[in-house]
Amino acid sequence: MAARTLVVDNGAATIKFGFADEDTPYRTFANNITRSKAERKTFVGDQLETCKDFSGLYYRLPFEKGLLTSWDVEKQVWDRLFNGKIVPCNPSATTLLISEPILNLPNIAATYDQLVFEEYGFHSYTRMSAPQMAMYNEIPRLYGQKMTSGKKRVDCAVVVDSGYSFTHIIPFWKGKPILVGIRRINVGGKLLTNHLKEIISFRYWNMMDETYLVNEVKEACCYVSNKFWDELDICKKSPRANKILQHYVLPDYSSQQRGYVKGGSRSRQRKNKGKGPGKMDLDDAEDETNEADCEEKAYSDQSDGDSDEDMSEPNEDEQVLTMNNERFTVPEILFNPSDIGMDQAGIPEAIVDAISSCDEGTNFKHVRLKIQGMLYANVVLIGGNARLPGFRKRVANDLREIAPSEYEVRVGIDKDPFGYAWKGAKRLATMEEFASEFKNRLVTRAEYLETGSALCESRFRSAV
Amino acid sequence: MSRKPERGAKAAPKVLDPEARKRQLRHHLDSLERDNFVALNEYEAIIATAAAAATAQGPISLTHTNLDPLGLLPPLSPAVGSIVGGVVGTVGPGAVLSPNNPGIISGGRSKKNQQNSSGAGGANSINNSNIGSNFNQNAIPTSALGHRKPVLPRKPLNQLLDESGLAAQTFLQEQQQQHVVPNYLTANMGPSRYPQRNFCSVCGWKGVYRCNRCGMRYCDLRCQKTHNDTRCMKFTI
């Protein structure tokens, strides 16, 4: 009875999925239903790849504030995924490994169970949060070390998952999350995009309807600055001295589908990129998270434009969006939500708060100080927002400033933080060292029909 | 763009007090959470967000004057009489206003307005029969394998949060001084130790000065002029 395992990272913005036994990388598409006013068509999930005109896209998201509330939307997307239209998936012979939001509400969790078993009829399944999936990776590799031989998993780590809806900080001990230490900051990719939309609409062009386009602009131009006030002063200078200023050429959906940054290395990438939005361009992500010269990258996009043929195009034909201090003040909200008036602390402070609360549980009294040191030394960044250039360096610097001086602070990030959780889940499903753990987590359909979702709840929470 | 309110030869200088500014801020932050974020200066969108807020609290009778205490909005036309609020957070530009009950904005549980508001794409159909569990258990045959569609009511997040009973659970545990089991509500991060940094609302540089009337920040005289010309008191609620 060889049930294949389908690994699905069900995020609020995108779904990452793939079969665990295949060697191909995961695939991704948007987890929503979009309606294009221009084409008068509705696209469910991955059908967005067939869309020609992205202006005025109206979104219907199944997730609200990070929790799955709109099941009719989600079901339509899942229908396409699970009923074999995208991958050859036969639910009754498949084991499903799906992700849920951290600290999911119990009534929502029960609905997951119901849909999976009663509607699609999967053979067995398990549910875990994305950071838990990420813990199954070889985390010491992020710091240039190898896993200690004999151990299959690090003892403890702090995972910072910065995604579309919010950002979570979760300390882990021996694979299980330390519940008292979980912190949530309500800033995510959605808020950054909306804020950017608002700023652009005030200052340049009215783009309030163009969620998709502003998302692209954010991913192309924004970066995290390490010298915030200095860079803000630079932005005040004249365009010749201002290396931060970038021009983003907006697409006019007749001749050109994608916008690009004028005169930068990215413009060459974008021009060659004929793929649709659903596929993940791994090279692009690798490029952007290249740690060594993230700052130079922020400036170089402007300076090496002289030899590029983009600069010789006449300016009247194109609509150009000027990105000045918005490039780094928008991601700054992740580090200081008070910038827009939100009464929450930013990521570095939240990490310190989370770790220092980890000595209060009774389990940790005897390792009181030591665990905090271990947690500071194993910080992992995952999620879509971690792809911003300069993110890791900024978190490491800020954390070093406020963490107690006796602890060593190490912050690690994978080349592809977006799919790191999926990769961890794939390791869980395939590697032999985790086989018994995986088996213990699974709930089969027969068991569910007998006992109900209380069994799922208890098994998923207690299993490691 | 926004419809300018009718004004006399000289607009009466109205100043927003701190309470109104806080309300404005909260509104702004809530709006940033929306999926299809449209600017607040759209008149219908203002009403739509007010209606969306009303769903959490049940039926409220909001007359025109309640909505607009400062008298800044133009008088309601009959077509813009009422909105059936049903869905928190995803009211888009196509929010439909039913003309039958002018001046009443009802929450999702109200029995008065049964018309569905069809936003763009038919998104926001109200389902008033979803008492109890998320699924109507009797409606699904046990052998369903995608052949019969189960009833999938769509509940707003606030309702789901209430039903999960987490707020009550946390409260009880605190009261009895037991160990509070961490959940979605308790995991929320608290305020920062550091003071807020202020940015100019026009250009984004350091916002040192504040407008006397509406409280938004600006950095120099040029930005102040831009602010007064275009934005002062235009987006208040």
Side-chain angles (χ1 to χ4, degrees):
Chain A
M1 187 195 64
R4 297 186 79 185
T5 308
L6 179 64
V7 178
V8 174
D9 184 358
N10 195 33
T14 53
I15 294 192
K16 284 73 73 183
F17 66 97
F19 278 105
D21 42 15
E22 286 175 3
D23 272 331
T24 51
Y26 61 91
R27 290 169 55 187
T28 171
F29 63 82
N31 190 11
N32 52 36
I33 296 182
T34 41
R35 193 171 158 277
S36 164
K37 278 193 273 202
E39 292 186 33
R40 274 165 233 248
K41 266 168 66 173
T42 307
F43 303 103
V44 175
D46 66 321
Q47 288 174 339
L48 191 58
E49 290 172 25
T50 61
C51 175
K52 300 281 180 314
D53 191 339
F54 295 109
S55 64
L57 272 183
Y58 180 75
Y59 281 72
R60 280 175 61 195
L61 270 77
F63 280 78
E64 196 186 321
K65 286 207 170 167
L67 299 175
L68 226 178
T69 54
S70 190
W71 283 101
D72 47 358
V73 176
E74 186 66 294
K75 189 173 169 314
Q76 290 187 49
V77 179
W78 278 5
D79 278 344
R80 281 191 62 82
L81 180 59
F82 295 147
N83 286 340
K85 294 203 178 71
I86 306 176
V87 278
C89 166
N90 178 13
S92 52
T94 312
T95 304
L96 180 67
L97 214 177
I98 196 165
S99 75
E100 59 166 1
I102 301 146
L103 291 177
N104 202 7
L105 300 186
N107 38 352
I108 299 183
T111 321
Y112 272 84
D113 301 337
Q114 261 177 325
L115 257 191
V116 164
F117 282 127
E118 296 184 16
E119 177 63 18
Y120 295 105
F122 275 95
H123 173 257
S124 53
Y125 104 117
T126 180
R127 237 191 303 122
M128 46 203 299
S129 63
Q132 263 182 309
M133 290 176 163
M135 282 298 289
Y136 286 101
N137 279 305
E138 276 191 50
I139 296 199
R141 284 211 183 273
L142 302 178
Y143 312 109
Q145 293 174 338
K146 279 213 172 69
M147 189 83 88
T148 323
S149 59
K151 280 198 167 180
K152 44 187 182 174
R153 201 198 355 246
V154 285
D155 274 340
C156 60
V158 175
V159 175
V160 178
D161 182 2
S162 188
Y164 183 71
S165 333
F166 35 39
T167 301
H168 271 110
I169 303 185
I170 304 138
F172 279 90
W173 171 248
K174 293 216 185 289
K176 285 170 107 165
I178 304 176
L179 293 179
V180 287
I182 300 185
R183 296 286 179 272
R184 179 184 75 240
I185 306 174
N186 295 323
V187 177
K190 170 159 65 160
L191 192 132
L192 296 181
T193 306
N194 282 340
H195 188 236
L196 184 60
K197 264 205 280 190
E198 205 183 337
I199 302 184
I200 294 182
S201 304
F202 272 155
R203 298 179 194 173
Y204 309 112
W205 310 86
N206 182 10
M207 298 182 66
M208 292 307 284
D209 279 337
E210 315 277 339
T211 313
Y212 187 81
L213 185 53
V214 175
N215 208 35
E216 297 256 307
V217 173
K218 180 184 78 169
E219 291 179 6
C221 301
C222 286
Y223 69 96
V224 179
S225 138
N226 272 300
K227 301 179 291 219
F228 181 67
W229 294 111
D230 292 342
E231 298 202 357
L232 202 56
D233 284 334
I234 294 178
C235 282
K236 275 232 156 199
K237 297 187 187 162
S238 72
R240 247 180 318 130
N242 181 358
K243 292 253 179 229
I244 299 179
L245 186 75
Q246 258 188 6
H247 294 288
Y248 186 87
V249 178
L250 298 172
D252 60 348
Y253 293 105
S254 46
S255 57
Q256 183 196 326
Q257 298 303 321
R258 316 294 299 275
Y260 57 91
V261 172
K262 196 155 155 179
S265 60
R266 287 190 190 118
S267 71
R268 267 160 284 178
Q269 273 179 11
R270 290 244 176 242
K271 279 196 152 179
N272 296 334
K273 209 173 168 187
K275 303 177 203 153
K279 301 230 180 69
M280 168 74 174
D281 194 340
L282 291 171
D283 296 328
D284 209 21
E286 250 172 69
D287 206 351
E288 293 190 28
T289 56
N290 188 357
E291 258 307 308
D293 54 351
C294 61
E295 275 173 27
E296 286 81 43
K297 188 168 201 47
Y299 299 153
S300 71
D301 285 337
Q302 183 68 14
S303 57
D304 69 300
D306 297 13
S307 51
D308 201 3
E309 64 263 22
D310 292 334
M311 298 296 273
S312 60
E313 272 179 65
N315 280 347
E316 299 86 47
D317 278 359
E318 8 174 77
Q319 281 184 316
V320 165
L321 178 65
T322 315
M323 294 288 285
N324 201 1
N325 57 29
E326 300 86 19
R327 285 184 70 194
F328 56 90
T329 49
V330 166
E332 193 65 25
I333 303 177
L334 286 164
F335 296 90
N336 286 302
S338 53
D339 282 357
I340 53 171
M342 211 179 227
D343 203 13
Q344 284 195 305
I347 291 183
E349 267 194 86
I351 297 180
V352 172
D353 193 39
I355 296 182
S356 28
S357 71
C358 278
D359 61 345
E360 284 174 19
T362 48
N363 324 12
F364 307 117
K365 276 212 177 106
H366 62 289
V367 286
R368 193 188 147 120
L369 288 175
K370 292 181 205 158
I371 191 179
Q372 291 193 7
M374 287 200 284
L375 288 173
Y376 276 115
N378 291 291
V379 180
V380 183
L381 307 175
I382 66 175
N385 288 334
R387 288 186 292 184
L388 289 165
F391 190 73
R392 188 210 75 85
K393 200 165 170 197
R394 178 67 189 272
V395 173
N397 283 346
D398 278 10
L399 193 54
R400 179 68 278 179
E401 280 176 24
I402 49 181
S405 53
E406 57 260 27
Y407 299 134
E408 180 200 0
V409 166
R410 290 189 311 180
V411 177
I413 193 172
D414 189 52
K415 266 190 311 192
D416 174 28
F418 185 67
Y420 199 53
W422 187 91
K423 290 193 187 126
K426 181 178 168 175
R427 279 171 60 100
L428 167 65
T430 47
M431 293 182 65
E432 285 175 26
E433 353 184 272
F434 299 123
S436 58
E437 271 186 49
F438 186 46
K439 207 157 143 308
N440 287 341
R441 287 191 75 101
L442 289 179
V443 172
T444 60
R445 187 156 182 265
E447 287 174 342
Y448 170 76
L449 290 175
E450 250 183 63
T451 32
S453 29
L455 170 71
C456 294
E457 230 4 71
S458 62
R459 198 176 278 187
F460 298 155
R461 295 279 165 262
S462 61
V464 173
Chain B
M1 289 307 288
S2 64
R3 284 145 68 181
K4 289 208 161 71
E6 289 163 53
R7 287 203 165 139
K10 213 178 189 181
K14 294 190 165 89
V15 177
L16 282 188
D17 58 332
E19 188 50 51
R21 290 176 192 175
K22 273 196 217 133
R23 229 182 319 133
Q24 174 84 344
L25 174 66
R26 229 178 310 138
H27 212 133
H28 182 237
L29 288 178
D30 279 338
S31 73
L32 280 176
E33 277 288 324
R34 285 161 56 193
D35 297 330
N36 296 287
F37 180 47
V38 184
L40 278 184
N41 58 351
E42 297 289 325
Y43 179 40
E44 284 97 51
I46 294 181
I47 301 190
T49 43
T55 57
Q57 302 151 24
I60 314 175
S61 165
L62 271 183
T63 58
H64 175 52
T65 47
N66 284 4
L67 257 190
D68 176 30
L70 297 177
L72 290 176
L73 302 173
L76 271 179
S77 64
V80 190
S82 80
I83 296 181
V84 186
V87 168
V88 174
T90 58
V91 184
V96 159
L97 322 162
S98 78
N100 294 343
N101 290 326
I104 300 207
I105 296 182
S106 65
R109 302 184 194 119
S110 154
K111 296 197 184 76
K112 277 190 175 176
N113 290 328
Q114 292 293 333
Q115 292 120 5
N116 289 341
S117 71
S118 55
N124 312 327
S125 65
I126 299 162
N127 199 326
N128 281 333
S129 59
N130 49 6
I131 310 167
S133 72
N134 282 342
F135 270 44
N136 188 349
Q137 296 273 6
N138 301 328
I140 310 174
T142 47
S143 63
L145 279 174
H147 301 304
R148 288 261 292 270
K149 283 196 179 346
V151 175
L152 283 169
R154 170 130 182 268
K155 295 187 187 178
L157 181 65
N158 290 336
Q159 200 177 341
L160 280 171
L161 275 172
D162 286 336
E163 285 177 9
S164 68
L166 288 177
Q169 181 192 31
T170 316
F171 181 66
L172 269 177
Q173 285 170 344
E174 275 172 14
Q175 282 269 300
Q176 297 164 8
Q177 265 121 18
Q178 289 168 4
H179 171 63
V180 178
V181 174
N183 54 43
Y184 178 80
L185 299 168
T186 61
N188 210 15
M189 184 66 209
S192 166
R193 295 183 253 170
Y194 303 105
Q196 183 176 2
R197 316 189 289 192
N198 298 308
F199 297 102
C200 172
S201 57
V202 177
C203 70
W205 204 62
K206 301 183 198 172
V208 189
Y209 313 105
R210 232 177 31 176
C211 174
N212 267 336
R213 293 163 64 191
C214 67
M216 295 186 77
R217 301 228 167 226
Y218 56 90
C219 59
D220 56 12
L221 282 175
R222 246 191 342 180
C223 288
Q224 182 187 30
K225 188 165 185 309
T226 314
H227 172 80
N228 285 336
D229 289 341
T230 56
R231 249 177 276 175
C232 195
M233 304 294 273
K234 291 285 165 65
F235 302 135
T236 55
I237 182 158

